[in-house]
Amino acid sequence: MRIISLAMIERFFITIGEYFIFLRKVFSKPDKWSIFFKKLVFEMDTMGIGSMLIVSIVSIAMGSVITTQTAMQIESSWIPTWTVGFVSRTSIVMELCPTIISLLLVGNLGSRITAEIGSMRVTEQIDALEVMGIHPASYLVLPKVIASLIVNPVLIIFSIFFALLGGYVTVILTGMVSMYDFLDGLTYCFRVYDIVYAVVKTFIFAFVMSSVASFYGYKIEGGALELGKASTQGIVVSSFIILILNVLVTQIML
Amino acid sequence: MIEVKQVSKFFGDRQVLFDINTTFEEGKVNLIIGRSGSGKTVLMKCLVGLFAPEEGVVLYNERDFHHMNEPEQHKLRAEMGMVFQGSALFDSMTIEENVMFPLDMFTNMSNEEKHERVDFCLHRVDLDDVNRLYPAELSGGMKKRAAIARAIACNPKYLFCDEPNSGLDPKTSLVIDNLIYDITHEFGITTIVNTHDLNSVITIGETISFIYEGHLEWFGDKDGVLVSDNQKLNDFIYAQPLTQRIRKSL
């Protein structure tokens, strides 16, 4: 049992070392800037537009549920009804959208990145790039990382909007609190810092998602079976790191 | 000329190449032959820099590839083209984009010049009218030819082909062999081909290095390969009933 634990610890530190070596390769100068920008635009389009629908649907549903649950918990007449809007907004802006949507994007975009890079590794396309004298990590991964750093915060802003809209529509349809009280709560003590906090978190989570997913795809050895394992590992590890960083960033920023 | 001097390669504790010494001559088709698992692909990956040998050197015109700095390696790699066993064409690109890719990356040609070069390369490998198709839409032989077109797009000095005939029928294999031979002599390329296809051995092998369990067992040419008295080489060459019959008739 002790031997297994030591081996696991050793493997853990080796993987961390490999990850940072990989990052150094990713952040090397692109071989040709014009090609880099072309790929960046392509990745932004694929990631942003491709994820918009799922992000909107999940956000509307999440906003609706959090508003309903908050309203149900606040039954005391001592608590003003605008609290429903206030608590919903705070939960949505500060935690639910940045964290839950980032985890959703790990499953959606992260697995796609691992599968794409992994299949290129398995079919020797990455070797082909290397033989041509192209830095594969920089060529393939850097546009994805930069694209996710740009696109994910934008998606989260949209997500916040749709989640608040979901709550608002729910309030109108159910009449659990008045529309004016809900809007009062939404705007009560609004701080721009809350949005900054959400965007900073998303920015960090986006980096983790894209770099970890790429790392697991890039280091695949073997065939289709390993590709499936790597996709799962990429999702699990990214999600785990995001949850830990969520706690740390919250302690630092709040 | 490419010289391999005392190259050994290990994977962990397992040694797969043992003190290999051989030469690949300029402007010729140089074959590396041997059974599956003998170390041919590992040797080729050491030649192109995908693996670094633990011992020995690989010299390109007396320049030691594995001890060059990065810009020098980069410059040398621009002189290489490689055809992989599975073709390794980029799935997300059309055939035209695949062949144009090295031109995009390494040249300052205008769009018109690039298109002209792509058409020339595809025409040279007898692949007309496939510019807009994706690799998934091509047959195995067509993919190999497209991979050759991509490999020669930047006028390489060195062409590496890893099992170019694997998975192809005998007639298509012959077409690929002839294409590799013609291109080598037409453009003065130094070509290295990994193969265990006997037809390639006796038709295009201007120099032949026979690898057996990681050791260079025999070196010669297509004329010498059929009449060698090396037992391991003969076991490999005359393994099939058809080749055994040929041996009897020699």
mmCIF file of all heavy atoms in Angstrom, chain A residues 12-52:
data_model
loop_
_atom_site.group_PDB
_atom_site.id
_atom_site.type_symbol
_atom_site.label_atom_id
_atom_site.label_comp_id
_atom_site.label_asym_id
_atom_site.label_seq_id
_atom_site.Cartn_x
_atom_site.Cartn_y
_atom_site.Cartn_z
ATOM 1 N N PHE A 12 2.425 12.112 -9.681
ATOM 2 C CA PHE A 12 1.785 13.422 -9.552
ATOM 3 C C PHE A 12 2.794 14.537 -9.855
ATOM 4 O O PHE A 12 2.535 15.442 -10.659
ATOM 5 C CB PHE A 12 1.211 13.561 -8.135
ATOM 6 C CG PHE A 12 0.689 14.924 -7.810
ATOM 7 C CD1 PHE A 12 -0.520 15.366 -8.337
ATOM 8 C CD2 PHE A 12 1.395 15.777 -6.970
ATOM 9 C CE1 PHE A 12 -1.005 16.634 -8.038
ATOM 10 C CE2 PHE A 12 0.912 17.040 -6.666
ATOM 11 C CZ PHE A 12 -0.288 17.467 -7.198
ATOM 12 N N PHE A 13 3.984 14.454 -9.237
ATOM 13 C CA PHE A 13 4.984 15.502 -9.437
ATOM 14 C C PHE A 13 5.575 15.455 -10.849
ATOM 15 O O PHE A 13 5.868 16.497 -11.432
ATOM 16 C CB PHE A 13 6.087 15.412 -8.372
ATOM 17 C CG PHE A 13 5.634 15.962 -7.048
ATOM 18 C CD1 PHE A 13 5.392 15.129 -5.965
ATOM 19 C CD2 PHE A 13 5.397 17.326 -6.894
ATOM 20 C CE1 PHE A 13 4.944 15.627 -4.758
ATOM 21 C CE2 PHE A 13 4.956 17.845 -5.682
ATOM 22 C CZ PHE A 13 4.722 16.997 -4.600
ATOM 23 N N ILE A 14 5.713 14.255 -11.396
ATOM 24 C CA ILE A 14 6.206 14.141 -12.785
ATOM 25 C C ILE A 14 5.217 14.816 -13.739
ATOM 26 O O ILE A 14 5.599 15.566 -14.629
ATOM 27 C CB ILE A 14 6.435 12.661 -13.179
ATOM 28 C CG1 ILE A 14 7.675 12.124 -12.464
ATOM 29 C CG2 ILE A 14 6.590 12.497 -14.690
ATOM 30 C CD1 ILE A 14 7.893 10.627 -12.606
ATOM 31 N N THR A 15 3.912 14.554 -13.518
ATOM 32 C CA THR A 15 2.878 15.135 -14.390
ATOM 33 C C THR A 15 2.897 16.662 -14.302
ATOM 34 O O THR A 15 2.793 17.354 -15.322
ATOM 35 C CB THR A 15 1.484 14.590 -14.015
ATOM 36 O OG1 THR A 15 1.539 13.174 -14.049
ATOM 37 C CG2 THR A 15 0.408 15.078 -14.969
ATOM 38 N N ILE A 16 3.056 17.179 -13.071
ATOM 39 C CA ILE A 16 3.116 18.641 -12.917
ATOM 40 C C ILE A 16 4.330 19.202 -13.672
ATOM 41 O O ILE A 16 4.218 20.208 -14.391
ATOM 42 C CB ILE A 16 3.173 19.029 -11.415
ATOM 43 C CG1 ILE A 16 1.806 18.761 -10.787
ATOM 44 C CG2 ILE A 16 3.561 20.494 -11.241
ATOM 45 C CD1 ILE A 16 1.722 19.052 -9.317
ATOM 46 N N GLY A 17 5.454 18.515 -13.540
ATOM 47 C CA GLY A 17 6.661 18.938 -14.261
ATOM 48 C C GLY A 17 6.437 18.923 -15.767
ATOM 49 O O GLY A 17 6.768 19.891 -16.463
ATOM 50 N N GLU A 18 5.825 17.837 -16.258
ATOM 51 C CA GLU A 18 5.558 17.724 -17.699
ATOM 52 C C GLU A 18 4.619 18.839 -18.170
ATOM 53 O O GLU A 18 4.788 19.380 -19.252
ATOM 54 C CB GLU A 18 4.912 16.368 -18.007
ATOM 55 C CG GLU A 18 5.871 15.193 -17.937
ATOM 56 C CD GLU A 18 5.185 13.838 -18.068
ATOM 57 O OE1 GLU A 18 3.941 13.774 -17.922
ATOM 58 O OE2 GLU A 18 5.893 12.849 -18.266
ATOM 59 N N TYR A 19 3.644 19.172 -17.311
ATOM 60 C CA TYR A 19 2.668 20.216 -17.657
ATOM 61 C C TYR A 19 3.375 21.569 -17.836
ATOM 62 O O TYR A 19 3.116 22.284 -18.809
ATOM 63 C CB TYR A 19 1.604 20.291 -16.562
ATOM 64 C CG TYR A 19 0.618 21.425 -16.708
ATOM 65 C CD1 TYR A 19 -0.323 21.441 -17.737
ATOM 66 C CD2 TYR A 19 0.623 22.490 -15.817
ATOM 67 C CE1 TYR A 19 -1.231 22.476 -17.869
ATOM 68 C CE2 TYR A 19 -0.287 23.533 -15.936
ATOM 69 C CZ TYR A 19 -1.208 23.529 -16.960
ATOM 70 O OH TYR A 19 -2.096 24.562 -17.088
ATOM 71 N N PHE A 20 4.304 21.898 -16.932
ATOM 72 C CA PHE A 20 4.979 23.189 -17.041
ATOM 73 C C PHE A 20 5.962 23.220 -18.217
ATOM 74 O O PHE A 20 6.114 24.254 -18.866
ATOM 75 C CB PHE A 20 5.656 23.569 -15.713
ATOM 76 C CG PHE A 20 4.651 24.084 -14.718
ATOM 77 C CD1 PHE A 20 4.223 23.305 -13.654
ATOM 78 C CD2 PHE A 20 4.086 25.343 -14.869
ATOM 79 C CE1 PHE A 20 3.265 23.763 -12.757
ATOM 80 C CE2 PHE A 20 3.127 25.814 -13.979
ATOM 81 C CZ PHE A 20 2.718 25.026 -12.921
ATOM 82 N N ILE A 21 6.589 22.077 -18.505
ATOM 83 C CA ILE A 21 7.456 22.010 -19.694
ATOM 84 C C ILE A 21 6.608 22.217 -20.956
ATOM 85 O O ILE A 21 6.984 22.939 -21.879
ATOM 86 C CB ILE A 21 8.205 20.653 -19.756
ATOM 87 C CG1 ILE A 21 9.243 20.597 -18.630
ATOM 88 C CG2 ILE A 21 8.877 20.443 -21.110
ATOM 89 C CD1 ILE A 21 9.843 19.226 -18.404
ATOM 90 N N PHE A 22 5.422 21.578 -20.938
ATOM 91 C CA PHE A 22 4.482 21.724 -22.058
ATOM 92 C C PHE A 22 4.068 23.195 -22.229
ATOM 93 O O PHE A 22 4.060 23.721 -23.342
ATOM 94 C CB PHE A 22 3.258 20.833 -21.783
ATOM 95 C CG PHE A 22 2.102 21.039 -22.707
ATOM 96 C CD1 PHE A 22 2.144 20.589 -24.019
ATOM 97 C CD2 PHE A 22 0.948 21.680 -22.275
ATOM 98 C CE1 PHE A 22 1.069 20.767 -24.864
ATOM 99 C CE2 PHE A 22 -0.134 21.864 -23.115
ATOM 100 C CZ PHE A 22 -0.068 21.408 -24.416
ATOM 101 N N LEU A 23 3.785 23.868 -21.101
ATOM 102 C CA LEU A 23 3.376 25.278 -21.170
ATOM 103 C C LEU A 23 4.489 26.139 -21.762
ATOM 104 O O LEU A 23 4.219 27.072 -22.529
ATOM 105 C CB LEU A 23 3.019 25.806 -19.774
ATOM 106 C CG LEU A 23 1.662 25.384 -19.204
ATOM 107 C CD1 LEU A 23 1.411 26.101 -17.882
ATOM 108 C CD2 LEU A 23 0.522 25.682 -20.173
ATOM 109 N N ARG A 24 5.731 25.816 -21.406
ATOM 110 C CA ARG A 24 6.855 26.582 -21.951
ATOM 111 C C ARG A 24 6.890 26.447 -23.478
ATOM 112 O O ARG A 24 7.135 27.401 -24.202
ATOM 113 C CB ARG A 24 8.173 26.090 -21.348
ATOM 114 C CG ARG A 24 9.257 27.162 -21.384
ATOM 115 C CD ARG A 24 10.585 26.604 -20.980
ATOM 116 N NE ARG A 24 11.055 25.612 -21.938
ATOM 117 C CZ ARG A 24 12.152 24.880 -21.782
ATOM 118 N NH1 ARG A 24 12.877 24.999 -20.695
ATOM 119 N NH2 ARG A 24 12.527 24.006 -22.692
ATOM 120 N N LYS A 25 6.597 25.235 -23.963
ATOM 121 C CA LYS A 25 6.580 25.026 -25.416
ATOM 122 C C LYS A 25 5.408 25.788 -26.054
ATOM 123 O O LYS A 25 5.534 26.363 -27.124
ATOM 124 C CB LYS A 25 6.437 23.534 -25.739
ATOM 125 C CG LYS A 25 7.677 22.717 -25.453
ATOM 126 C CD LYS A 25 7.401 21.267 -25.821
ATOM 127 C CE LYS A 25 8.527 20.356 -25.387
ATOM 128 N NZ LYS A 25 8.145 18.935 -25.480
ATOM 129 N N VAL A 26 4.256 25.745 -25.355
ATOM 130 C CA VAL A 26 3.049 26.398 -25.892
ATOM 131 C C VAL A 26 3.295 27.899 -26.055
ATOM 132 O O VAL A 26 2.912 28.499 -27.062
ATOM 133 C CB VAL A 26 1.841 26.167 -24.945
ATOM 134 C CG1 VAL A 26 0.661 27.058 -25.331
ATOM 135 C CG2 VAL A 26 1.428 24.705 -24.974
ATOM 136 N N PHE A 27 3.972 28.509 -25.073
ATOM 137 C CA PHE A 27 4.153 29.959 -25.103
ATOM 138 C C PHE A 27 5.442 30.382 -25.812
ATOM 139 O O PHE A 27 5.952 31.461 -25.554
ATOM 140 C CB PHE A 27 4.061 30.540 -23.685
ATOM 141 C CG PHE A 27 2.646 30.555 -23.197
ATOM 142 C CD1 PHE A 27 2.162 29.543 -22.370
ATOM 143 C CD2 PHE A 27 1.755 31.534 -23.607
ATOM 144 C CE1 PHE A 27 0.845 29.523 -21.952
ATOM 145 C CE2 PHE A 27 0.439 31.524 -23.193
ATOM 146 C CZ PHE A 27 -0.025 30.525 -22.365
ATOM 147 N N SER A 28 5.934 29.502 -26.704
ATOM 148 C CA SER A 28 7.059 29.943 -27.535
ATOM 149 C C SER A 28 6.483 30.759 -28.699
ATOM 150 O O SER A 28 5.299 30.670 -29.017
ATOM 151 C CB SER A 28 7.853 28.741 -28.046
ATOM 152 O OG SER A 28 7.025 27.904 -28.796
ATOM 153 N N LYS A 29 7.352 31.539 -29.323
ATOM 154 C CA LYS A 29 6.905 32.453 -30.388
ATOM 155 C C LYS A 29 6.289 31.662 -31.550
ATOM 156 O O LYS A 29 6.901 30.689 -32.008
ATOM 157 C CB LYS A 29 8.117 33.242 -30.881
ATOM 158 C CG LYS A 29 7.785 34.391 -31.772
ATOM 159 C CD LYS A 29 9.066 35.135 -32.143
ATOM 160 C CE LYS A 29 8.905 35.747 -33.508
ATOM 161 N NZ LYS A 29 9.984 35.474 -34.403
ATOM 162 N N PRO A 30 5.110 32.065 -32.032
ATOM 163 C CA PRO A 30 4.520 31.345 -33.174
ATOM 164 C C PRO A 30 5.447 31.396 -34.386
ATOM 165 O O PRO A 30 6.148 32.391 -34.596
ATOM 166 C CB PRO A 30 3.227 32.114 -33.452
ATOM 167 C CG PRO A 30 2.907 32.803 -32.194
ATOM 168 C CD PRO A 30 4.216 33.131 -31.543
ATOM 169 N N ASP A 31 5.432 30.310 -35.184
ATOM 170 C CA ASP A 31 6.309 30.250 -36.352
ATOM 171 C C ASP A 31 5.950 31.322 -37.379
ATOM 172 O O ASP A 31 6.814 31.845 -38.051
ATOM 173 C CB ASP A 31 6.212 28.855 -36.994
ATOM 174 C CG ASP A 31 6.788 27.791 -36.082
ATOM 175 O OD1 ASP A 31 8.014 27.767 -35.917
ATOM 176 O OD2 ASP A 31 6.012 27.010 -35.496
ATOM 177 N N LYS A 32 4.657 31.614 -37.503
ATOM 178 C CA LYS A 32 4.241 32.660 -38.441
ATOM 179 C C LYS A 32 3.009 33.359 -37.860
ATOM 180 O O LYS A 32 1.981 32.715 -37.641
ATOM 181 C CB LYS A 32 3.937 32.044 -39.812
ATOM 182 C CG LYS A 32 4.042 33.016 -40.940
ATOM 183 C CD LYS A 32 4.205 32.312 -42.270
ATOM 184 C CE LYS A 32 4.467 33.292 -43.379
ATOM 185 N NZ LYS A 32 4.651 32.652 -44.669
ATOM 186 N N TRP A 33 3.117 34.673 -37.620
ATOM 187 C CA TRP A 33 2.029 35.388 -36.947
ATOM 188 C C TRP A 33 0.739 35.390 -37.757
ATOM 189 O O TRP A 33 -0.347 35.304 -37.186
ATOM 190 C CB TRP A 33 2.465 36.829 -36.643
ATOM 191 C CG TRP A 33 3.423 36.901 -35.489
ATOM 192 C CD1 TRP A 33 4.778 37.065 -35.546
ATOM 193 C CD2 TRP A 33 3.108 36.763 -34.085
ATOM 194 N NE1 TRP A 33 5.319 37.042 -34.276
ATOM 195 C CE2 TRP A 33 4.317 36.870 -33.368
ATOM 196 C CE3 TRP A 33 1.926 36.573 -33.381
ATOM 197 C CZ2 TRP A 33 4.378 36.780 -31.977
ATOM 198 C CZ3 TRP A 33 1.989 36.487 -31.992
ATOM 199 C CH2 TRP A 33 3.198 36.586 -31.302
ATOM 200 N N SER A 34 0.861 35.502 -39.089
ATOM 201 C CA SER A 34 -0.371 35.564 -39.903
ATOM 202 C C SER A 34 -1.181 34.273 -39.748
ATOM 203 O O SER A 34 -2.411 34.297 -39.652
ATOM 204 C CB SER A 34 -0.033 35.813 -41.371
ATOM 205 O OG SER A 34 0.830 34.807 -41.838
ATOM 206 N N ILE A 35 -0.473 33.132 -39.694
ATOM 207 C CA ILE A 35 -1.155 31.842 -39.523
ATOM 208 C C ILE A 35 -1.749 31.764 -38.111
ATOM 209 O O ILE A 35 -2.858 31.263 -37.916
ATOM 210 C CB ILE A 35 -0.161 30.667 -39.740
ATOM 211 C CG1 ILE A 35 0.488 30.752 -41.119
ATOM 212 C CG2 ILE A 35 -0.836 29.309 -39.514
ATOM 213 C CD1 ILE A 35 -0.303 30.221 -42.266
ATOM 214 N N PHE A 36 -1.005 32.280 -37.128
ATOM 215 C CA PHE A 36 -1.485 32.264 -35.743
ATOM 216 C C PHE A 36 -2.804 33.031 -35.630
ATOM 217 O O PHE A 36 -3.771 32.533 -35.033
ATOM 218 C CB PHE A 36 -0.419 32.870 -34.806
ATOM 219 C CG PHE A 36 -0.937 33.175 -33.431
ATOM 220 C CD1 PHE A 36 -1.108 32.147 -32.508
ATOM 221 C CD2 PHE A 36 -1.277 34.466 -33.062
ATOM 222 C CE1 PHE A 36 -1.609 32.419 -31.241
ATOM 223 C CE2 PHE A 36 -1.777 34.741 -31.801
ATOM 224 C CZ PHE A 36 -1.946 33.711 -30.889
ATOM 225 N N PHE A 37 -2.859 34.234 -36.206
ATOM 226 C CA PHE A 37 -4.085 35.042 -36.084
ATOM 227 C C PHE A 37 -5.259 34.391 -36.823
ATOM 228 O O PHE A 37 -6.396 34.453 -36.369
ATOM 229 C CB PHE A 37 -3.833 36.480 -36.586
ATOM 230 C CG PHE A 37 -3.029 37.291 -35.593
ATOM 231 C CD1 PHE A 37 -1.780 37.772 -35.911
ATOM 232 C CD2 PHE A 37 -3.524 37.542 -34.314
ATOM 233 C CE1 PHE A 37 -1.022 38.484 -34.991
ATOM 234 C CE2 PHE A 37 -2.782 38.252 -33.378
ATOM 235 C CZ PHE A 37 -1.526 38.731 -33.716
ATOM 236 N N LYS A 38 -4.946 33.750 -37.945
ATOM 237 C CA LYS A 38 -5.993 33.045 -38.703
ATOM 238 C C LYS A 38 -6.586 31.924 -37.837
ATOM 239 O O LYS A 38 -7.802 31.745 -37.759
ATOM 240 C CB LYS A 38 -5.352 32.459 -39.971
ATOM 241 C CG LYS A 38 -6.294 32.238 -41.124
ATOM 242 C CD LYS A 38 -5.460 31.888 -42.350
ATOM 243 C CE LYS A 38 -6.219 30.958 -43.254
ATOM 244 N NZ LYS A 38 -5.403 30.451 -44.344
ATOM 245 N N LYS A 39 -5.689 31.181 -37.182
ATOM 246 C CA LYS A 39 -6.161 30.079 -36.331
ATOM 247 C C LYS A 39 -6.882 30.604 -35.088
ATOM 248 O O LYS A 39 -7.846 30.003 -34.620
ATOM 249 C CB LYS A 39 -4.975 29.197 -35.886
ATOM 250 C CG LYS A 39 -4.581 28.168 -36.930
ATOM 251 C CD LYS A 39 -3.507 27.223 -36.452
ATOM 252 C CE LYS A 39 -3.984 26.198 -35.454
ATOM 253 N NZ LYS A 39 -4.856 25.152 -35.993
ATOM 254 N N LEU A 40 -6.409 31.750 -34.568
ATOM 255 C CA LEU A 40 -7.043 32.342 -33.382
ATOM 256 C C LEU A 40 -8.502 32.716 -33.687
ATOM 257 O O LEU A 40 -9.408 32.390 -32.907
ATOM 258 C CB LEU A 40 -6.251 33.582 -32.938
ATOM 259 C CG LEU A 40 -6.796 34.331 -31.730
ATOM 260 C CD1 LEU A 40 -6.744 33.468 -30.477
ATOM 261 C CD2 LEU A 40 -6.014 35.627 -31.494
ATOM 262 N N VAL A 41 -8.704 33.360 -34.832
ATOM 263 C CA VAL A 41 -10.069 33.758 -35.224
ATOM 264 C C VAL A 41 -10.946 32.517 -35.396
ATOM 265 O O VAL A 41 -12.092 32.472 -34.928
ATOM 266 C CB VAL A 41 -10.041 34.609 -36.525
ATOM 267 C CG1 VAL A 41 -11.445 34.828 -37.073
ATOM 268 C CG2 VAL A 41 -9.346 35.937 -36.268
ATOM 269 N N PHE A 42 -10.381 31.480 -36.022
ATOM 270 C CA PHE A 42 -11.119 30.235 -36.231
ATOM 271 C C PHE A 42 -11.528 29.620 -34.886
ATOM 272 O O PHE A 42 -12.675 29.202 -34.694
ATOM 273 C CB PHE A 42 -10.263 29.245 -37.039
ATOM 274 C CG PHE A 42 -10.862 27.880 -37.160
ATOM 275 C CD1 PHE A 42 -11.876 27.629 -38.074
ATOM 276 C CD2 PHE A 42 -10.431 26.837 -36.339
ATOM 277 C CE1 PHE A 42 -12.446 26.365 -38.171
ATOM 278 C CE2 PHE A 42 -10.993 25.574 -36.429
ATOM 279 C CZ PHE A 42 -12.004 25.341 -37.353
ATOM 280 N N GLU A 43 -10.587 29.574 -33.937
ATOM 281 C CA GLU A 43 -10.873 28.971 -32.620
ATOM 282 C C GLU A 43 -11.904 29.798 -31.864
ATOM 283 O O GLU A 43 -12.796 29.238 -31.211
ATOM 284 C CB GLU A 43 -9.598 28.858 -31.780
ATOM 285 C CG GLU A 43 -8.555 27.897 -32.314
ATOM 286 C CD GLU A 43 -9.011 26.443 -32.333
ATOM 287 O OE1 GLU A 43 -10.021 26.108 -31.692
ATOM 288 O OE2 GLU A 43 -8.362 25.640 -33.028
ATOM 289 N N MET A 44 -11.785 31.131 -31.948
ATOM 290 C CA MET A 44 -12.756 31.990 -31.242
ATOM 291 C C MET A 44 -14.157 31.764 -31.785
ATOM 292 O O MET A 44 -15.125 31.701 -31.031
ATOM 293 C CB MET A 44 -12.356 33.467 -31.382
ATOM 294 C CG MET A 44 -11.193 33.846 -30.485
ATOM 295 S SD MET A 44 -10.529 35.479 -30.839
ATOM 296 C CE MET A 44 -11.913 36.517 -30.445
ATOM 297 N N ASP A 45 -14.231 31.632 -33.097
ATOM 298 C CA ASP A 45 -15.518 31.392 -33.744
ATOM 299 C C ASP A 45 -16.086 30.040 -33.290
ATOM 300 O O ASP A 45 -17.241 29.945 -32.857
ATOM 301 C CB ASP A 45 -15.314 31.419 -35.271
ATOM 302 C CG ASP A 45 -16.597 31.120 -36.028
ATOM 303 O OD1 ASP A 45 -17.649 31.565 -35.564
ATOM 304 O OD2 ASP A 45 -16.537 30.436 -37.066
ATOM 305 N N THR A 46 -15.258 29.001 -33.340
ATOM 306 C CA THR A 46 -15.717 27.650 -32.977
ATOM 307 C C THR A 46 -16.132 27.596 -31.505
ATOM 308 O O THR A 46 -17.188 27.063 -31.168
ATOM 309 C CB THR A 46 -14.591 26.619 -33.212
ATOM 310 O OG1 THR A 46 -14.020 26.863 -34.474
ATOM 311 C CG2 THR A 46 -15.112 25.205 -33.155
ATOM 312 N N MET A 47 -15.274 28.147 -30.641
ATOM 313 C CA MET A 47 -15.560 28.072 -29.207
ATOM 314 C C MET A 47 -16.749 28.963 -28.826
ATOM 315 O O MET A 47 -17.637 28.550 -28.099
ATOM 316 C CB MET A 47 -14.338 28.538 -28.400
ATOM 317 C CG MET A 47 -13.193 27.570 -28.387
ATOM 318 S SD MET A 47 -11.859 28.231 -27.371
ATOM 319 C CE MET A 47 -10.683 26.909 -27.473
ATOM 320 N N GLY A 48 -16.741 30.182 -29.314
ATOM 321 C CA GLY A 48 -17.764 31.162 -28.908
ATOM 322 C C GLY A 48 -19.129 30.846 -29.466
ATOM 323 O O GLY A 48 -20.084 30.583 -28.720
ATOM 324 N N ILE A 49 -19.216 30.831 -30.784
ATOM 325 C CA ILE A 49 -20.511 30.606 -31.429
ATOM 326 C C ILE A 49 -21.011 29.191 -31.114
ATOM 327 O O ILE A 49 -22.192 28.979 -30.827
ATOM 328 C CB ILE A 49 -20.418 30.809 -32.965
ATOM 329 C CG1 ILE A 49 -19.830 32.182 -33.309
ATOM 330 C CG2 ILE A 49 -21.767 30.590 -33.643
ATOM 331 C CD1 ILE A 49 -20.654 33.360 -32.870
ATOM 332 N N GLY A 50 -20.078 28.231 -31.127
ATOM 333 C CA GLY A 50 -20.433 26.833 -30.886
ATOM 334 C C GLY A 50 -21.001 26.592 -29.492
ATOM 335 O O GLY A 50 -21.759 25.633 -29.289
ATOM 336 N N SER A 51 -20.631 27.427 -28.512
ATOM 337 C CA SER A 51 -21.075 27.190 -27.138
ATOM 338 C C SER A 51 -22.240 28.086 -26.722
ATOM 339 O O SER A 51 -22.795 27.922 -25.633
ATOM 340 C CB SER A 51 -19.916 27.437 -26.164
ATOM 341 O OG SER A 51 -18.824 26.656 -26.519
ATOM 342 N N MET A 52 -22.568 29.038 -27.581
ATOM 343 C CA MET A 52 -23.556 30.063 -27.202
ATOM 344 C C MET A 52 -24.915 29.459 -26.819
ATOM 345 O O MET A 52 -25.505 29.837 -25.796
ATOM 346 C CB MET A 52 -23.729 31.011 -28.405
ATOM 347 C CG MET A 52 -24.234 32.355 -28.064
ATOM 348 S SD MET A 52 -23.087 33.194 -26.976
ATOM 349 C CE MET A 52 -24.165 34.373 -26.278
#
